[in-house]
Amino acid sequence: MAEQKEDPGQAAKLTQSKRATQSAATEPFAPQNGTAQDRVTRDDSSGSRTGTADMTTATVVRRKQRYLIGFRSLAGMPSLSSDPFLERLAQMDGVEITRRLRGGGLQAPGTPPSATAPTTAAQEIVVARMDEQRGEALRQNAPSHVIVEVDAPLGYSDMAVPEPVNWQHAVQVMPFPRPRHEVRFRILGEGDRPLANAVVNLYGPGFPAQALTDSSGQASLQTHTVDGSGIHAVYVRPAADHWERYIQNPSLDPEQVNVIRLSPLHRTMGTFPGERPYGWGQRIMKFDRVSTDWNGAGTKIGIIDSGCDTSHPLLRHIVRGVDFTGDKDPQSWKSDEMGQGTHCAGIVAAASSLASSDIIGCAPGAEVHIFKVVPGGHYSDLIDALDQCIERRLDIVQIGVSGEQFSELVAQKITEARLNGIACIVGAGNSGGAVQFPGNVPGVMTVSAIGKLGEYPQDTRHAQRALPQLIAFSGVYATNFSCWGPQVGVCAPGVAVVSSVPGGGYAAWDGCSMAASHVVGFSALLLSHHPMLQSINFGARADQRVSILYDFLRAAAIPYAQVDPYRVGAGLPDLQQVPGLLPSNQQFFGSGIGAGAVLGTLQTPFTHPAAYLGNPMNAILQLRAAGLWV
């Protein structure tokens, strides 16, 4: 035991200074004005009772909360060069100001808050750390022009990772240990090639369980069932280039390796020789009906998401980006741990000089800027990113992240972006409930997701996305995951959308972010080629240009008679229906651009007599076509 106390390597792990190391080696249990609990903690950390000499301990307490403190824009209230509230805040005990956000752009990295030059108080937002009790008291007692709110973490809705099949499959914590049994899998792709990095999920009572396949395509998962009879579903999501697979009530052998084969994407993505590789979403929005010269050139697009892997062959032209997640490497925005930013960037702007490329973006000629804010980002990082979009004079910004609570300061920054001529396009969210923040902020274009029958294999999760009662007779349907509400402006394809993923491959993913990316590309073509938006007045960077763009999106939308407008908004934008964009449209629309002036003249190919809709046999046929009726 004495030798263990005098071990300098062990002592070095407890402290950094040599003197503290020697003290810890000779008196590891000596109290230093601490409580009895502190002494117990130090006693446990020594390893004298547990034998784990390399392990230190720390008491778990509630961490301090991050807060945003800013200023409310009030009519008739002049901006001040400083505010007494901020001066008092900096002097409060227990309040640590960690960051200052400036309306004119980013604070220089490494610059302390006190060293920053003063700016207009109404433009400044302070990030402070304090305990929740003090923060709540500060919020309640703040002056009317001061906003105090939690700097909440940013989330993202990754539909590549499946949600639980239903509530019965949620994880159940057992108060006593239960025997666990191993189920082994091997995932094979085209030509029975082992697929590495495929995610295998098991659903059933007491779990889901998840594992990643190794280089041989194998993965092992622990379950509570002996023969696998309690497993309700197996879901396999490949890393790239194959369709996922979803097997309900699988027959599994616990004594053998269970083999699951996945189909390659190209078997259902085939195109005619020389044909541009448009996805089903681009075709239904008529990207294939306009000139190939219409590529969004001259438009500047920002994607606020998880970064972008620009080593992908179709994304190498993207050279501008910033990482707001704390990584000081200026190139770290090119690292995309989530994959969603890379997938959205491919939908928007995938480009290749080769005619044989696997996909093509909606606006491959646009200038794309990447702003990485997840994982690890907060509302303050979203504000920072929007400030950069304003400073860089972007035209369109896709916000691919969401939050659980409303932020007035973020909403004000979005309004500021719109006043600077930036159209903010946001996915409605993937929870299946009310529209998520910031899709519920006035001034954004919120996009819900739709799918289409026949665009994916039936043994995938894509086939589980349809709301049976909301399937149009064209096969287009509203989805069960898309958030809905009066804030939804339009809908767009968001099921089985094939696009780029990190590592150079392709994958079919679901989500409202995929739908929003289609609308971003659609908007880029309008800004680049519509004569009204290219004119001197309406081409100016101002709120009016954004309003006209949104009017065009709604006016070009095909409404769905069978679908609740809260789920699809005005409908699905169609490039051939944009007023004044194509010569063939002039005979239908005249000179008006308001949505109310043109929606009555739109074609509505999905309407049917009430007798047809009320026939139960026709409803059954719809369900069978969707694979939802046995």
Side-chain angles (χ1 to χ4, degrees):
M1 189 67 178
E3 293 178 355
Q4 184 182 25
K5 291 181 181 179
E6 295 175 358
D7 181 5
Q10 170 62 20
K13 294 181 180 179
L14 300 176
T15 60
Q16 294 181 351
S17 67
K18 183 176 181 180
R19 180 176 300 176
T21 299
Q22 295 172 348
S23 175
T26 56
E27 298 182 3
F29 308 129
Q32 299 177 3
N33 299 325
T35 64
Q37 180 61 44
D38 293 333
R39 289 193 294 273
V40 170
T41 301
R42 284 192 293 269
D43 183 69
D44 290 342
S45 67
S46 70
S48 61
R49 296 185 180 182
T50 63
T52 56
D54 291 338
M55 183 180 297
T56 59
T57 64
T59 302
V60 178
V61 297
R62 292 177 66 88
R63 66 174 178 269
K64 289 186 176 182
Q65 184 66 273
R66 295 167 57 113
Y67 286 89
L68 288 170
I69 297 95
F71 299 91
R72 187 171 285 114
S73 300
L74 299 176
M77 184 173 180
S79 299
L80 303 174
S81 59
S82 63
D83 190 276
F85 187 86
L86 288 185
E87 296 177 4
R88 294 196 303 270
L89 182 69
Q91 298 173 0
M92 289 182 183
D93 292 335
V95 176
E96 177 190 3
I97 296 179
T98 61
R99 193 176 177 192
R100 293 179 184 269
L101 309 181
R102 307 288 180 173
L106 294 175
Q107 181 177 323
T111 303
S114 59
T116 308
T119 62
T120 303
Q123 296 178 344
E124 185 178 34
I125 298 174
V126 169
V127 182
R129 192 184 301 274
M130 67 191 82
D131 63 73
E132 293 185 24
Q133 185 176 2
R134 182 181 295 273
E136 181 60 22
L138 194 67
R139 186 187 66 81
Q140 293 182 359
N141 295 288
S144 60
H145 69 289
V146 175
I147 302 171
V148 179
E149 58 187 30
V150 174
D151 187 16
L154 290 169
Y156 69 102
S157 298
D158 182 8
M159 290 297 294
V161 178
E163 72 284 356
V165 179
N166 58 48
W167 67 270
Q168 293 177 339
H169 298 165
V171 175
Q172 301 173 3
V173 179
M174 299 299 176
F176 51 88
R178 297 182 60 185
R180 301 179 69 84
H181 304 275
E182 185 178 67
V183 179
R184 293 173 295 166
F185 291 90
R186 191 177 189 205
I187 310 303
L188 303 178
E190 187 176 17
D192 280 351
R193 175 172 54 89
L195 296 181
N197 299 320
V199 181
V200 183
N201 299 269
L202 293 182
Y203 295 105
F207 53 91
Q210 186 180 89
L212 199 67
T213 58
D214 58 20
S215 59
S216 65
Q218 297 196 54
S220 298
L221 294 90
Q222 299 291 323
T223 75
H224 295 307
T225 62
V226 178
D227 57 359
S229 59
I231 297 175
H232 298 295
V234 177
Y235 174 78
V236 180
R237 177 172 60 88
D241 302 329
H242 289 77
W243 287 105
E244 61 180 40
R245 191 156 181 205
Y246 177 70
I247 307 172
Q248 291 180 301
N249 300 318
S251 176
L252 301 176
D253 189 338
E255 304 298 329
Q256 302 290 331
V257 175
N258 298 272
V259 177
I260 297 179
R261 290 178 171 84
L262 306 184
S263 301
L265 280 175
H266 64 77
R267 289 187 179 177
T268 52
M269 290 174 56
T271 57
F272 294 104
E275 181 184 356
R276 299 190 80 181
Y278 290 110
W280 76 265
Q282 294 167 313
R283 294 193 301 271
I284 201 172
M285 296 177 74
K286 307 298 176 55
F287 282 88
D288 59 335
R289 302 295 180 88
V290 299
S291 171
T292 56
D293 295 333
W294 288 29
N295 59 9
T299 305
K300 299 167 72 174
I301 298 173
I303 300 178
I304 302 177
D305 213 300
S306 60
C308 178
D309 181 8
T310 57
S311 67
H312 195 288
L314 302 187
L315 301 177
R316 290 172 181 166
H317 60 293
I318 299 177
V319 295
R320 301 169 179 86
V322 181
D323 186 354
F324 293 93
T325 63
D327 196 321
K328 296 182 180 180
D329 183 354
Q331 300 299 314
S332 59
W333 61 271
K334 298 179 181 180
S335 174
D336 185 2
E337 300 91 338
M338 308 299 183
Q340 180 172 285
T342 303
H343 200 271
C344 291
I347 298 171
V348 172
S352 175
S353 58
L354 302 177
S356 60
S357 62
D358 294 290
I359 63 171
I360 186 71
C362 297
E367 178 182 301
V368 177
H369 298 242
I370 302 297
F371 303 99
K372 181 177 180 178
V373 296
V374 289
H378 294 75
Y379 282 7
S380 55
D381 300 301
L382 176 55
I383 293 173
D384 245 352
L386 288 168
D387 264 332
Q388 272 286 298
C389 295
I390 296 171
E391 184 175 321
R392 298 183 183 207
R393 299 176 62 82
L394 303 189
D395 300 298
I396 307 167
V397 172
Q398 178 177 348
I399 303 177
V401 292
S402 61
E404 296 182 355
Q405 59 193 54
F406 191 92
S407 168
E408 186 177 352
L409 291 171
V410 173
Q412 283 189 171
K413 186 59 63 176
I414 289 175
T415 300
E416 182 183 343
R418 174 162 175 160
L419 292 175
N420 281 272
I422 298 176
C424 292
I425 298 177
V426 186
N430 298 331
S431 68
V435 171
Q436 296 178 338
F437 179 84
N440 52 7
V441 173
V444 305
M445 174 56 68
T446 302
V447 185
S448 64
I450 59 171
K452 187 174 186 293
L453 301 178
E455 297 296 339
Y456 41 76
Q458 284 300 304
D459 60 349
T460 62
R461 286 305 301 274
H462 309 304
Q464 309 293 320
R465 304 300 190 192
L467 285 170
Q469 69 276 23
L470 298 180
I471 302 175
F473 297 99
S474 62
V476 174
Y477 57 78
T479 60
N480 53 16
F481 65 81
S482 183
C483 291
W484 55 283
Q487 302 92 347
V488 174
V490 294
C491 62
V495 176
V497 178
V498 177
S499 185
S500 49
V501 291
Y506 306 90
W509 285 4
D510 306 338
C512 288
S513 289
M514 286 75 240
S517 297
H518 282 86
V519 177
V520 168
F522 193 104
S523 301
L525 294 192
L526 297 188
L527 289 176
S528 297
H529 303 287
H530 199 288
M532 185 174 292
L533 292 171
Q534 288 287 305
S535 64
I536 295 178
N537 292 332
F538 297 130
R541 301 183 53 79
D543 175 63
Q544 186 178 22
R545 183 179 71 161
V546 178
S547 297
I548 293 173
L549 174 63
Y550 289 173
D551 281 342
F552 278 137
L553 290 173
R554 296 187 185 95
I558 300 294
Y560 290 82
Q562 301 96 320
V563 179
D564 184 351
Y566 276 15
R567 292 193 177 274
V568 297
L572 176 69
D574 183 321
L575 277 171
Q576 290 188 313
Q577 301 291 344
V578 178
L581 180 64
L582 301 175
S584 59
N585 288 339
Q586 293 176 355
Q587 56 181 322
F588 298 113
F589 296 105
S591 59
I593 65 166
V598 298
L599 280 179
T601 63
L602 289 178
Q603 301 175 7
T604 55
F606 311 126
T607 57
H608 290 269
Y612 185 96
L613 296 176
N615 187 333
M617 182 54 67
N618 290 327
I620 293 174
L621 291 175
Q622 274 191 277
L623 294 177
R624 285 179 175 172
L628 301 172
W629 182 278
V630 180

